[in-house]
Amino acid sequence: VASVVIGKWARKRQDLTGQIFPVFWTSVGLIIILPVIASLIMGGPFTISYPEFGRFSITGGWSLEPEFLALLLGLAIYTGAFIAEIVRSGINSVSHGQTEAAHSLGIRGSFTMRLVILPQALRVIVPPLTSQYLNLTKNSSLATAIGYADITAIFAGTSLNQTGQAIEVILITMLFYLSISLLISMFMNWYNKRIALVER
């Protein structure tokens, strides 16, 4: 909450005075460093569980299932390639004259990208990005093919076998994916309207 408040205050301050406040590093301090310091002051109430050989198997620790790792890597690499191409094309759609104009005003490179290029590129990036997020949600159901128990496997597999109510179970599965897709679409449409240029 403090990071959001400081971000809004920094934007107003920049509009009034032109001075840039380091919002990113302040947010990192508030979100990461402050809780770590509080944890150390309180005596570190967290414990780490190490894996140990038990009588029949390994106990403790955290296990990473190979099916989950395969799903994570597959979806991340496949979807990441599409999203990277969308972002690249969006940035290339902004005229190079915008970068030259920013540099002629004395704006540094990192601020040029954040304050000049990206706000214009987002108008091109957001619509296809919405489609990729929806595809990612639907592609996650392919986890069943590699043996990972996701929502589809639980609903359309386990629940269907135990109840025998095929229509109801498949309807619940469809409603779940429909709800997630509608929420993503609503949020991305709201964000798209928020970043759209206002005609005067």
Side-chain angles (χ1 to χ4, degrees):
V1 171
S3 297
V4 172
V5 170
I6 288 173
K8 290 184 177 180
W9 169 80
R11 276 193 291 275
K12 287 181 182 177
R13 177 175 179 255
Q14 183 177 352
D15 289 341
L16 293 174
T17 64
Q19 296 177 342
I20 298 173
F21 186 79
V23 177
F24 176 76
W25 294 113
T26 307
S27 300
V28 168
L30 288 170
I31 294 171
I32 297 173
I33 297 173
L34 192 62
V36 169
I37 292 172
S39 172
L40 293 174
I41 291 172
M42 297 297 291
F46 303 105
T47 58
I48 298 174
S49 172
Y50 295 101
E52 297 175 354
F53 282 108
R55 188 168 178 183
F56 297 107
S57 64
I58 297 174
T59 58
W62 180 67
S63 63
L64 183 62
E65 298 178 14
E67 295 85 3
F68 175 75
L69 186 61
L71 177 68
L72 179 66
L73 288 176
L75 287 178
I77 293 170
Y78 178 77
T79 310
F82 281 101
I83 290 177
E85 182 62 22
I86 290 169
V87 173
R88 184 202 63 78
S89 62
I91 290 172
N92 281 348
S93 70
V94 179
S95 171
H96 187 64
Q98 298 288 318
T99 306
E100 294 173 346
H103 290 319
S104 69
L105 291 172
I107 300 175
R108 292 198 305 255
S110 59
F111 290 113
T112 300
M113 178 59 71
R114 191 164 54 106
L115 301 175
V116 178
I117 306 300
L118 275 182
Q120 297 178 69
L122 281 174
R123 292 176 294 141
V124 178
I125 292 172
V126 170
L129 194 62
T130 305
S131 298
Q132 282 306 312
Y133 287 154
L134 292 172
N135 282 340
L136 176 61
T137 306
K138 292 179 282 187
N139 289 343
S140 67
S141 65
L142 295 173
T144 308
I146 59 171
Y148 184 71
D150 71 327
I151 295 294
T152 307
I154 292 171
F155 281 162
T158 308
S159 299
L160 181 58
N161 288 333
Q162 289 181 353
T163 62
Q165 305 291 326
I167 295 175
E168 291 84 350
V169 170
I170 297 300
L171 184 64
I172 291 171
T173 309
M174 289 169 52
L175 286 175
F176 174 79
Y177 280 103
L178 177 65
S179 302
I180 297 294
S181 298
L182 288 176
L183 285 173
I184 292 172
S185 297
M186 285 170 56
F187 174 76
M188 294 300 285
N189 285 335
W190 167 81
Y191 184 70
N192 195 26
K193 287 178 182 175
R194 186 171 176 266
I195 63 170
L197 288 178
V198 179
E199 297 290 336
R200 295 184 179 178

